[in-house]
Amino acid sequence: MGRLLNEKAADALMERLQEQYDVFAPRLFPGTGCYSDTDVVRYGQISSLSEIVWDKKSEYSFKETLLPISDTVFYFTEDEVKVPDAPRKRRLIFLRSCELCALKRLDGIYLKNGFADSYYERIREQADFVWMCCEESFASCFCASMGTNRPEQYEAFARFTDGKLYLEAEKGLLKELLEECGQDGFGEEASLNAVYPEENQEKIEIPESLPEDMASHELWKEYAGRCIGCGRCNFVCPTCTCFTMQDIFYKDNPKAGERRRVWASCQVDGYSDIAGGISFRKNQGERMRFKVLHKISDFKKRFGYTMCVGCGRCEDVCPEYISYLACIRKVNQAAKEARTNEQK
Amino acid sequence: MDINTKKAKKNAFRISKERGITASRVRVPGGKCTADVLEQVAAIAKKYGNGSVHLTTRQGFEIEGISLDNMAEVNQMLQPIIEELGINQAEKGTGYASSGTRNVSACIGNRVCPFGNYNTAAFAKRIEEAIFPNDLHFKIALTGCANDCIKARMHDFGIIGMTVPQYDPNRCVSCGACVKGCDQLSVNALRKENFKIVRNEEKCVGCGVCVTKCPTRAWTRSEKKYYRLTIMGRTGKKNPRLGEDFLIWTDEDTIIKVILNTYRFVEKYIDPTAPGGKEHIGYIIDRVGFQEYKKWALDGVELLPETIVKDNIYWSGIHYR
């Protein structure tokens, strides 16, 4: 059982939510696109549930609600170090199924890959999630192929249908607040199913195994000339977790400063630079190969599931129209050809 | 054949080199029209012209090979075009009411171009509405960004789109795409300091390249649209030259006021013996001095606090006379 909320009822719920939570969801940032008079849908704090954008896929993923783009790890003076305080309030995050699946990948990297990352852990513990059901698949989605079209587990889900917001929670604070809304006469009791796209327009096959010489395959070469190395594909990806460290010495007082960790991209110059001026993967073809194989193969070797969740954001954002889907299809073709050759 | 050539010219018909033959000049503000307009231009060319249409340098159509006898009929056929383009007109069915002030032309702007900082055609239309019909010789062009593809600087008024880049350091990943973009494509106004970006405000031309290059939305455009107004560029026999900056970081309302003020200035100072009542504004300013012009141009204008006004302007160019 859940509640079907019109705008007024949703406002009443939001008022209660905000006492406990900072609420994050995909919302419109008007006029902030790359090009003049273009908008961006990305995750941000909302003050009304009507701000949630349902009819478009957010350009950037939910990950910045847990992993700030530029995050101060500690402040330092000559003899003291101070770790910034954790956010004061819990976070309620509305997100799609692919992103709930991406959350599992983020947890894998930050909590279960050796020791737990305390910065991620403290914000993660304070976060509750609401699955935003996709009534329909968006153009570049291929979640069904990746098995991420519905989350493995969820505590609450939301639907937006006929101008009304439906919310259902199995447990926790949201369940309590929804019940409170019921007692106060906001919204109507209803029982809707969680829905998800059974299939997408884009279908993809991920090769089970890759030929040994995949890394030196011809197909990577074209990307050396096409990719401009802007890193958008990484920045919009819900499962890319790389960061770099920056030590800042304050301009007015270089004896104090801070250490930040900042999102990094394996496509941008500098990512694989090491001491001595050495850089691995100098050309964009090699970088594309590194990224794609990591998403569909290398990560899986360690964690048992693919990194890619099939959200298609990298497909949508590339200014050079480099299709990640087309690339996977080429890899798949190469894998098939290699198997056929082996059998001969 | 008895034709008042002065009236015909002001009705946007050319007196051509071939006796008895004219060409109809169809003004298209901002160079934006529908395919329907194209079809109607084609219909006129087929019915009254010789089937040939010239695409003019100012983004109009010149329908060639029309008999001077058919001007009234052509004006009738122009009516739906005039209405669709929203051209100011004193009386319906009488064609274009003036030709002295030239078509307000524009690059394609932000409707299509990634660099465009505003809707050039929409602003062109706004200027068209404010200044037409008018027989004084004014040339105005609008361009979306500092690339100036329309060559706005060769006009009496050149309007160049600008944006004040807004920087959110919390979204910046120090990838350097903006710094590289600004260096390679623009004026090198950005540098890195403590892994974040510092913009040299004096150098920045507001082109918006940093915004288009930023992969994380750390750089965005200002909510307000800004313009650089360049003045008194020209081609011609005596002293062709590029327009110089007059107002930087100005807005649409101010530009319209300055243009309208300039019409008043010209009415006051134009050489009464000028052939056809047309004298290039630039030559009038050369004669009476920039300071006098500035007084007129900024009369009653409330500038934005952020607008830079040039104290004086010294044009150069080639002097043949």
Side-chain angles (χ1 to χ4, degrees):
Chain A
M1 273 300 168
R3 291 205 79 73
L4 199 54
L5 310 166
N6 60 17
E7 210 171 320
K8 196 179 151 213
D11 286 346
L13 173 66
M14 189 63 177
E15 214 170 284
R16 290 169 167 80
L17 282 174
Q18 282 180 314
E19 283 168 20
Q20 312 282 345
Y21 287 115
D22 283 337
V23 184
F24 291 83
R27 73 167 179 90
L28 194 72
F29 288 79
T32 66
C34 278
Y35 308 125
S36 168
D37 288 341
T38 58
D39 305 328
V40 173
V41 177
R42 62 175 172 83
Y43 280 76
Q45 200 174 339
I46 56 169
S47 52
S48 161
L49 292 169
S50 61
E51 285 177 62
I52 302 177
V53 173
W54 289 86
D55 60 352
K56 286 191 184 88
K57 176 163 54 179
S58 68
E59 250 176 73
Y60 294 80
S61 85
F62 83 107
K63 75 179 171 192
E64 63 188 272
T65 62
L66 299 178
L67 296 162
I69 296 174
S70 175
D71 198 12
T72 301
V73 181
F74 56 77
Y75 301 95
F76 56 83
T77 61
E78 281 165 283
D79 40 32
E80 276 180 356
V81 164
K82 161 84 174 92
V83 172
D85 297 337
R88 287 201 179 83
K89 255 180 167 177
R90 291 189 70 79
R91 292 184 172 196
L92 186 68
I93 301 163
F94 284 78
L95 76 183
R96 308 273 183 183
S97 169
C98 53
E99 296 176 300
L100 266 171
C101 295
L103 180 66
K104 176 179 159 181
R105 276 83 176 157
L106 300 188
D107 288 350
I109 285 287
Y110 280 105
L111 302 176
K112 295 167 190 160
N113 188 26
F115 61 90
D117 178 278
S118 61
Y119 297 94
Y120 180 81
E121 193 173 36
R122 69 183 191 179
I123 201 165
R124 176 72 175 84
E125 280 170 353
Q126 294 238 68
D128 293 320
F129 300 91
V130 180
W131 167 28
M132 292 169 68
C133 291
C134 298
E135 305 287 327
E136 276 173 33
S137 167
F138 296 103
S140 59
C141 298
F142 52 105
C143 50
S145 302
M146 304 305 292
T148 55
N149 48 343
R150 59 173 163 164
E152 287 170 21
Q153 49 190 12
Y154 60 93
E155 288 183 358
F157 75 91
R159 287 181 63 181
F160 189 71
T161 135
D162 296 328
K164 283 183 182 170
L165 181 67
Y166 177 78
L167 273 170
E168 187 177 319
E170 276 177 30
K171 53 181 176 179
L173 206 50
L174 185 59
K175 186 180 162 74
E176 284 171 32
L177 294 176
L178 282 170
E179 277 163 8
E180 258 182 47
C181 279
Q183 284 151 18
D184 296 348
F186 288 111
E188 33 188 310
E189 200 167 275
S191 180
L192 301 188
N193 291 328
V195 291
Y196 56 91
E198 300 273 359
E199 59 172 6
N200 317 103
Q201 209 180 329
E202 297 288 355
K203 293 174 180 64
I204 199 101
E205 207 183 309
I206 304 288
E208 273 304 316
S209 64
L210 292 171
E212 268 182 26
D213 59 352
M214 194 64 238
S216 55
H217 197 279
E218 283 285 301
L219 74 86
W220 305 112
K221 284 188 181 154
E222 73 161 292
Y223 299 108
R226 289 179 64 193
C227 176
I228 56 168
C230 69
R232 280 175 174 79
C233 50
N234 297 123
F235 299 134
V236 300
C237 178
T239 67
C240 275
T241 51
C242 287
F243 60 77
T244 186
M245 304 302 281
Q246 298 174 348
D247 283 352
I248 280 93
F249 302 87
Y250 297 137
K251 224 174 138 187
D252 292 345
N253 176 12
K255 289 179 178 170
E258 64 183 81
R259 173 169 291 182
R260 297 182 192 135
R261 66 178 185 193
V262 175
W263 287 7
S265 157
C266 55
Q267 306 303 299
V268 172
D269 285 348
Y271 180 83
S272 62
D273 289 358
I274 60 163
I278 298 163
S279 177
F280 307 102
R281 297 191 295 279
K282 286 198 180 88
N283 85 57
Q284 295 301 144
E286 294 167 326
R287 293 175 189 180
M288 179 77 175
R289 183 252 303 152
F290 174 79
K291 177 188 75 182
V292 171
L293 295 188
H294 195 67
K295 292 288 175 195
I296 63 169
S297 169
D298 297 330
F299 179 96
K300 191 179 176 185
K301 287 176 193 161
R302 180 180 296 197
F303 292 94
Y305 46 87
T306 59
M307 189 179 188
C308 175
V309 291
C311 73
R313 287 186 171 84
C314 55
E315 185 87 6
D316 296 330
V317 81
C318 180
E320 298 300 314
Y321 286 85
I322 292 170
S323 165
Y324 170 75
L325 281 161
C327 182
I328 294 179
R329 286 179 185 130
K330 285 179 204 167
V331 172
N332 199 31
Q333 185 61 30
K336 273 184 188 163
E337 278 165 19
R339 276 199 296 276
T340 321
N341 289 341
E342 264 174 40
Q343 281 158 9
K344 280 178 194 165
Chain B
M1 189 175 261
D2 181 48
I3 303 285
N4 182 335
T5 59
K6 291 185 176 61
K7 269 192 180 169
K9 283 185 200 168
K10 288 189 173 174
N11 199 195
F13 286 98
R14 188 192 282 277
I15 301 304
S16 78
K17 56 185 266 197
E18 192 179 344
R19 191 144 187 97
I21 298 298
T22 181
S24 164
R25 309 167 87 180
V26 181
R27 200 169 72 230
V28 182
K32 180 182 177 270
C33 71
T34 61
D36 277 349
V37 167
L38 285 182
E39 280 172 12
Q40 290 168 56
V41 168
I44 298 171
K46 282 178 190 164
K47 188 162 183 191
Y48 292 107
N50 62 11
S52 213
V53 178
H54 174 67
L55 300 177
T56 75
T57 56
R58 300 208 62 82
Q59 301 179 325
F61 302 107
E62 189 153 337
I63 308 169
E64 300 174 25
I66 294 170
S67 166
L68 280 164
D69 290 331
N70 289 331
M71 288 193 291
E73 289 80 357
V74 169
N75 276 343
Q76 285 296 331
M77 280 188 84
L78 284 173
Q79 192 56 30
I81 298 179
I82 283 171
E83 278 169 24
E84 189 171 336
L85 294 175
I87 304 288
N88 289 344
Q89 201 183 22
E91 206 183 318
K92 279 194 174 188
T94 56
Y96 282 86
S98 66
S99 63
T101 292
R102 301 303 204 238
N103 189 36
V104 181
S105 35
C107 74
I108 198 162
N110 82 353
R111 295 198 323 281
V112 175
C113 176
F115 292 113
N117 282 321
Y118 67 104
N119 186 333
T120 49
F123 192 8
K125 198 84 178 287
R126 215 189 136 191
I127 295 173
E128 159 90 21
E129 276 164 26
I131 62 175
F132 279 101
N134 207 305
D135 278 318
L136 291 173
H137 194 273
F138 275 53
K139 284 179 177 160
I140 303 166
L142 301 98
T143 200
C145 77
N147 283 351
D148 193 7
C149 294
I150 197 78
K151 281 114 183 113
R153 264 186 207 276
M154 296 187 71
H155 292 68
D156 297 318
F157 292 99
I159 298 157
I160 300 171
M162 300 174 88
T163 188
V164 185
Q166 308 290 303
Y167 183 60
D168 178 356
N170 292 319
R171 294 194 71 78
C172 179
V173 294
S174 331
C175 69
C178 55
V179 177
K180 193 174 157 194
C182 189
D183 184 25
Q184 292 182 334
L185 302 171
S186 195
V187 296
N188 196 16
L190 302 179
R191 65 186 162 84
K192 262 191 206 175
E193 194 177 288
N194 260 348
F195 298 100
K196 299 292 179 197
I197 309 299
V198 179
R199 180 173 69 98
N200 181 334
E201 290 179 24
E202 283 174 22
K203 244 180 157 185
C204 175
V205 291
C207 65
V209 161
C210 50
V211 182
T212 63
K213 296 294 173 199
C214 179
T216 58
R217 312 323 310 127
W219 284 113
T220 52
R221 283 182 168 70
S222 51
E223 213 173 299
K224 214 190 246 173
K225 292 190 166 73
Y226 290 94
Y227 304 90
R228 179 186 302 266
L229 182 67
T230 71
I231 58 167
M232 306 308 140
R234 64 191 173 206
T235 56
K237 299 181 189 76
K238 299 174 195 172
N239 171 220
R241 66 189 188 189
L242 287 180
E244 294 283 337
D245 291 356
F246 178 31
L247 305 176
I248 309 167
W249 308 109
T250 188
D251 63 342
E252 285 195 20
D253 291 349
T254 302
I255 289 172
I256 295 209
K257 280 182 201 156
V258 167
I259 292 172
L260 289 173
N261 280 344
T262 306
Y263 275 103
R264 282 193 278 279
F265 167 83
V266 172
E267 280 159 17
K268 162 91 176 165
Y269 285 112
I270 193 168
D271 176 358
T273 66
K278 286 196 290 191
E279 185 184 19
H280 283 108
I281 322 162
Y283 289 107
I284 304 175
I285 296 175
D286 291 351
R287 204 168 58 237
V288 303
F290 172 72
Q291 291 305 329
E292 179 65 11
Y293 167 69
K294 187 174 165 184
K295 200 173 79 191
W296 282 74
L298 297 180
D299 181 42
V301 173
E302 212 173 300
L303 293 166
L304 301 173
E306 58 268 45
T307 301
I308 298 169
V309 187
K310 288 294 164 145
D311 292 334
N312 221 329
I313 294 181
Y314 305 97
W315 287 274
S316 59
I318 312 165
H319 289 267
Y320 291 108
R321 182 187 164 136

